[in-house]
């Protein structure tokens, strides 16, 4: 852990390689009192960050991006070992983190205040930092999703207390070293960024309830997100949560494009992405052909060691999660689901699994966070109703060559994002990103996160 510019090295918590199941490192686990002390320390630097010149913020962000680029392969290997992410996918995450910090550097110079028209007064706004941002990040994209919170917080002049997932914190420790180097280079007090490792129910919980923390930016499960809304009190909250993301294939869709997109969207990082394909709704008239193509394509995916360049699907984050997924699949089969592929588990590895189910299946109500895909045959009239029937609303997707149908579905789907002719997995780091219903509050995407991390002050001057 890194608090007020000091590294604290203790061996409190085992970090497990999800593929080999070996202990790869032991790290500190903070007590609640230590977290309180860290927040107290962070509070001392609020004015420092608020008054940090824009040019210096820009230089810091660009320097962080440069350092990540210089360590690209090293960081990708850490992601593969710590988070079980196939190395070729880990490299993509590192590239995205490089871009995310660059985007924040761009927007720090483009972030605008506003002048309000008035007959007899000068009215204008200023955006001011909220103060202390509590950034709580998940295991699945530990580098880039940390970047999506840390970069806009620096850009807007906030102090940061960062709690990474205890399941995959190692790349965040390396990111903290990179941030430390950047702050040292530009003579910024190191206490403006603090890395707090440990158990979520201790570290994360204290950050959420601590009255000195001004904003919570959380990415994780809807269950934890709901708890945060009840415990955070009077502070800003940004929640990027999960969902069961429906992907709709209409009769006139380009099937080759749909299958290729949906294979990627279903099985990248073993389905452990909040916008991975959650279920596929395919038009009855083309269902047989689509299912045959989709299953045959999935059979060719390579499952195994994340460090192997040929691996497409690595392990789930833990054996416990893989065992839970196995039980969900068994229940779906007991409910009448037809297993078309997979269903096999080997320790934390869960092989690509495809089932044909009806709309009431447990798989259509549960985010498995796994390479498990339910397919539903449906007609066009009922697809929106099925898609909207879940309690989530993060991303969705529609495959069609009819622009009128595409726009009609986009209007009627109750989701934060609707992707046309690509899978729900699509995300660009500068676009607004977030959900409705139990999929979240607020929006990420650098400019939009910067808006979330600031308060608007209105200044009125009479003539």
């Amino acid at each position: 852990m890194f608090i007020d510019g000091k590294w604290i090295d203790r061996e409190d918590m085992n970090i497990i390689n999800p593929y080999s199941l070996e202990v790869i490192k032991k790290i500190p686990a903070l007590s609640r009192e230590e977290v309180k002390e860290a927040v107290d320390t962070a509070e001392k630097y609020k004015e420092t960050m608020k008054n940090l010149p824009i040019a210096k913020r820009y230089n810091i962000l660009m320097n962080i991006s440069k350092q990540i680029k210089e360590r690209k392969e090293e960081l990708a290997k850490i992601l593969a070992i710590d988070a079980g992410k196939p190395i070729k996918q880990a490299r993509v995450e590192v590239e995205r983190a490089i871009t995310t910090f660059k985007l924040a550097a761009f927007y720090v110079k483009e972030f605008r205040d506003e002048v309000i028209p008035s007959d007899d007064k000068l009215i204008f706004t200023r955006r001011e930092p909220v103060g202390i941002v509590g950034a709580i990040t998940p295991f699945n994209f530990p580098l880039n999703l940390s970047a999506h919170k840390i970069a806009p917080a620096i850009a807007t002049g906030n102090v940061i207390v960062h709690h990474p997932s205890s399941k995959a914190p190692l790349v965040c420790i390396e990111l903290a070293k990179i941030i430390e180097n950047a702050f040292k280079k530009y003579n910024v007090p190191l206490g403006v960024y603090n890395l707090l490792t440990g158990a979520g129910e201790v570290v994360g919980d204290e950050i959420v309830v601590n009255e000195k923390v001004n904003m919570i930016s959380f990415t994780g499960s809807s269950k934890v997100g709901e708890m945060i809304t009840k415990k955070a009190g009077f502070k800003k909250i940004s929640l990027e949560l999960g969902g069961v993301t429906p992907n709709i294939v209409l009769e006139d869709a380009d099937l080759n494009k749909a299958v290729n997109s949906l294979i990627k969207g279903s099985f990248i990082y073993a389905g452990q992405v909040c916008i991975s394909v959650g279920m596929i709704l395919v038009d009855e008239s083309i269902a047989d052909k689509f299912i045959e193509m989709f299953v045959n394509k999935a059979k060719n995916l390579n499952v195994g060691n994340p460090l192997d360049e040929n691996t497409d699907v690595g392990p789930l984050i833990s054996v416990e999660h893989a065992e839970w997924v196995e039980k969900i699949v068994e229940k779906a089969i007991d409910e009448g689901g037809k297993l078309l592929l997979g269903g096999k588990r080997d320790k934390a590895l869960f092989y690509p699994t495809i089932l044909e189910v009806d709309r009431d299946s447990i798989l259509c109500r549960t985010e498995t966070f796994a390479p498990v895909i339910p397919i539903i045959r449906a007609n066009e009239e009922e697809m929106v109703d099925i898609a909207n029937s879940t309690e989530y609303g993060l991303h969705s997707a529609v495959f069609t060559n009819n622009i009128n149908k595409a726009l009609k579905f986009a209007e009627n789907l109750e989701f934060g994002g609707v992707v046309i002719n690509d899978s729900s997995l699509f995300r660009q780091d500068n676009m607004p990103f977030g959900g409705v219903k139990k999929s979240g509050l607020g929006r990420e995407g650098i400019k939009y996160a910067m808006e979330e991390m600031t308060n608007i002050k209105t200044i009125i001057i009479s003539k």
Side-chain angles (χ1 to χ4, degrees), residues 349-364:
L349 286 172
F350 205 93
Y351 285 71
T353 297
I354 303 169
L355 303 94
E356 188 173 337
V357 303
D358 62 34
R359 65 180 294 172
D360 297 320
S361 170
I362 188 172
L363 292 176
C364 300

Side-chain angles (χ1 to χ4, degrees), residues 195-449:
L195 180 72
L196 311 181
T197 57
E201 58 268 25
V202 177
V203 181
D205 187 72
E206 179 56 37
I207 291 172
V208 168
V209 302
N210 194 296
E211 294 183 356
K212 293 181 179 178
V213 176
N214 304 104
M215 177 179 176
I216 300 298
S217 180
F218 170 80
T219 299
S221 72
S222 296
K223 180 180 179 181
V224 176
E226 187 171 5
M227 289 172 58
I228 288 172
T229 64
K230 295 174 180 178
K231 299 177 78 170
F234 285 97
K235 53 172 68 76
K236 297 187 80 171
I237 303 174
S238 176
L239 303 176
E240 197 277 281
L241 310 175
V244 180
T245 52
N247 285 245
I248 295 169
V249 184
L250 298 182
E251 182 180 15
D252 66 338
D254 180 332
L255 282 189
N256 285 318
K257 182 173 185 178
V259 168
N260 288 332
S261 297
L262 290 168
I263 287 290
K264 177 182 176 183
S266 299
F267 302 115
I268 271 189
Y269 192 37
Q272 296 175 114
V273 188
C274 58
I275 49 176
S276 290
V277 174
M279 59 177 164
I280 298 174
L281 309 177
V282 59
D283 192 279
E284 294 168 329
S285 64
I286 58 167
D288 288 340
K289 186 174 183 180
F290 172 85
I291 289 171
E292 180 184 7
M293 292 171 66
F294 187 72
V295 171
N296 287 338
K297 191 87 173 176
K299 286 178 180 177
N300 294 322
L301 295 170
N302 295 313
V303 181
N305 189 341
L307 288 172
D308 187 330
E309 295 285 349
N310 295 314
T311 295
D312 300 305
V313 180
L316 296 180
I317 194 61
S318 68
V319 172
E320 292 77 13
H321 183 60
E323 290 173 341
W324 176 82
V325 172
E326 190 173 39
K327 291 177 183 177
I328 294 292
V329 171
E330 290 172 354
K331 182 168 177 56
I333 294 171
D334 290 342
E335 291 176 342
K338 181 182 178 181
L339 183 65
L340 305 176
L341 181 70
K344 177 184 174 184
R345 180 182 69 83
D346 180 9
K347 298 178 183 176
L349 286 172
F350 205 93
Y351 285 71
T353 297
I354 303 169
L355 303 94
E356 188 173 337
V357 303
D358 62 34
R359 65 180 294 172
D360 297 320
S361 170
I362 188 172
L363 292 176
C364 300
R365 306 189 305 273
T366 307
E367 182 183 32
T368 61
F369 232 51
V372 176
I373 303 301
I375 297 177
I376 303 172
R377 298 171 187 254
N379 61 55
E380 195 172 307
E381 288 69 34
E382 61 187 348
M383 286 177 169
V384 170
D385 180 60
I386 295 172
N388 288 342
S389 66
T390 78
E391 57 187 2
Y392 304 104
L394 186 52
H395 259 207
S396 57
V398 181
F399 290 85
T400 178
N401 284 318
N402 185 317
I403 187 62
N404 292 323
K405 287 184 178 180
L407 293 175
K408 181 180 178 181
F409 272 85
E411 181 178 354
N412 291 322
L413 286 166
E414 298 169 355
F415 293 82
V418 181
V419 185
I420 307 298
N421 288 330
D422 203 345
S423 81
S424 57
L425 186 72
F426 178 82
R427 179 183 180 182
Q428 190 166 290
D429 291 299
N430 62 342
M431 75 183 201
F433 180 75
V436 298
K437 298 192 281 188
K438 287 190 175 181
S439 287
L441 297 171
R443 289 296 179 267
E444 289 197 341
I446 298 302
K447 182 181 76 169
Y448 306 94

Side-chain angles (χ1 to χ4, degrees), residues 3 51 201 225:
I3 300 174
N51 296 319
E201 58 268 25

